[in-house]
Amino acid sequence: MSISVLKRQIIKDADGKPIGVILPMEEYRMIERSLPQDGVADIEAGKLNRMKQATNDPLFMADLNETMNSFSTADSEWWEHET
C-alpha cells in the first residue's frame, strides 16, 4: 500500500494569478499563530451592528412584516398545536 503525501498546492484564478494555497496540516499549524485574526472579529461586529440597525429601518421592517404575514397561514397549519 502506498501512502499519499499532500504537498503545498497553489490555487490560481482563470488568468493564472495565485489566489490561495492548500497546506498540509503540519505546515498550517506552524504558521497558524502568525495569521491575522483581527479581521474576523471586525467582520462579525459589523454584521451584528447592521442587524441592530435593521430594526430602525422602516423599509426593512415593512418587508419583514410582509414576509411574516405571507407565511402566517402556512405556519399556523404546519406547526403542531397543543391540545
Side-chain angles (χ1 to χ4, degrees):
M1 176 192 329
S2 66
I3 298 174
S4 297
V5 176
L6 178 64
K7 297 182 180 181
R8 186 178 308 152
Q9 297 177 21
I10 306 296
I11 302 168
K12 299 179 181 180
D13 66 9
D15 297 324
K17 178 183 170 188
I19 57 171
V21 65
I22 298 174
L23 298 174
M25 286 306 295
E26 283 183 16
E27 284 187 48
Y28 175 75
R29 287 186 182 113
M30 288 190 311
I31 65 164
E32 181 178 16
R33 290 185 180 147
S34 65
L35 297 173
Q37 298 297 320
D38 298 337
V40 173
D42 292 340
I43 291 170
E44 295 302 318
K47 288 178 184 178
L48 288 172
N49 190 37
R50 287 192 300 276
M51 289 170 59
K52 289 177 187 175
Q53 291 175 358
T55 60
N56 297 318
D57 182 341
L59 294 175
F60 173 81
M61 293 306 293
D63 188 45
L64 177 63
N65 287 326
E66 182 180 342
T67 301
M68 290 174 64
N69 288 334
S70 295
F71 285 96
S72 64
T73 302
D75 285 346
S76 67
E77 292 171 353
W78 189 83
W79 292 102
E80 295 179 15
H81 299 282
E82 292 183 25
T83 55

